Amino acid sequence: MNKQKFNRKEYIINIINKLCFLLVMSIILYYPLKFAKHYLYDTTYQNILVKFAWRPDSCESHSGESKLECSCEYGIIGLDDKNFKITKDGYLHWKHQLVGKVVLIEKPSFFTTGEILTGGYMKIIDSETGDSCYYDSVIS
């Protein structure tokens, strides 16, 4: 009888140890999987326009000189703005009118440390003037 109780206690302790091991392993694997999901996340042009807001940062002329007045006069872009569309080739349209070519320089991050910027950086090459307008991604 005493031996049977000992075996039952040993069995319960063994199960608790296995459950604790699974809990610790799931916690240890959670963060690497979270970051892997971020880096494997599909950032098609239309998706980055919908998931993130973009604010103007700076502007360059087609010759590479810095400009104070930019030909891209857009405020914050994105977040379900139905007027802006980006094709699969990366061309930005505003109300069915070609605006320019979008180049994603740095992919935005879903994980921030309380800052307004999410680390994304893109440029739009204006189709009329050839100016490059740079945008930062911001938290919505």
Side-chain angles (χ1 to χ4, degrees):
M1 184 83 165
N2 222 359
K3 192 171 190 174
Q4 191 176 14
K5 282 185 181 181
F6 181 73
N7 284 341
R8 190 178 306 157
K9 280 184 182 181
E10 190 176 301
Y11 178 73
I12 291 172
I13 290 173
N14 193 12
I15 288 177
I16 291 173
N17 282 340
K18 288 180 181 181
L19 289 175
C20 288
F21 175 76
L22 289 174
L23 178 67
V24 168
M25 288 308 292
S26 63
I27 290 171
I28 289 173
L29 293 176
Y30 173 73
Y31 287 104
L33 290 176
K34 186 176 178 180
F35 287 112
K37 180 181 175 187
H38 166 68
Y39 287 109
L40 296 175
Y41 179 72
D42 179 30
T43 51
T44 58
Y45 285 109
Q46 190 61 37
N47 202 8
I48 63 162
L49 192 61
V50 173
K51 299 280 184 188
F52 298 96
W54 297 87
R55 71 170 189 189
D57 181 44
S58 61
C59 189
E60 289 181 353
S61 67
H62 63 278
S63 62
E65 299 173 1
S66 187
K67 289 178 69 172
L68 294 176
E69 294 222 5
C70 197
S71 59
C72 309
E73 298 176 3
Y74 321 113
I76 292 182
I77 300 175
L79 295 178
D80 298 328
D81 189 350
K82 303 296 182 204
N83 294 322
F84 286 104
K85 299 283 183 207
I86 301 179
T87 63
K88 290 181 181 179
D89 298 337
Y91 289 100
L92 179 67
H93 295 270
W94 184 74
K95 293 185 177 179
H96 305 292
Q97 179 182 10
L98 179 64
V99 173
K101 172 79 172 155
V102 174
V103 179
L104 184 62
I105 298 171
E106 186 69 33
K107 186 167 91 170
S109 174
F110 286 106
F111 313 109
T112 62
T113 58
E115 300 173 4
I116 191 169
L117 298 175
T118 60
Y121 203 61
M122 77 170 174
K123 81 174 175 180
I124 298 175
I125 303 169
D126 192 303
S127 61
E128 292 178 11
T129 63
D131 293 344
S132 297
C133 304
Y134 295 91
Y135 290 83
D136 291 322
S137 63
V138 293
I139 294 175
S140 56

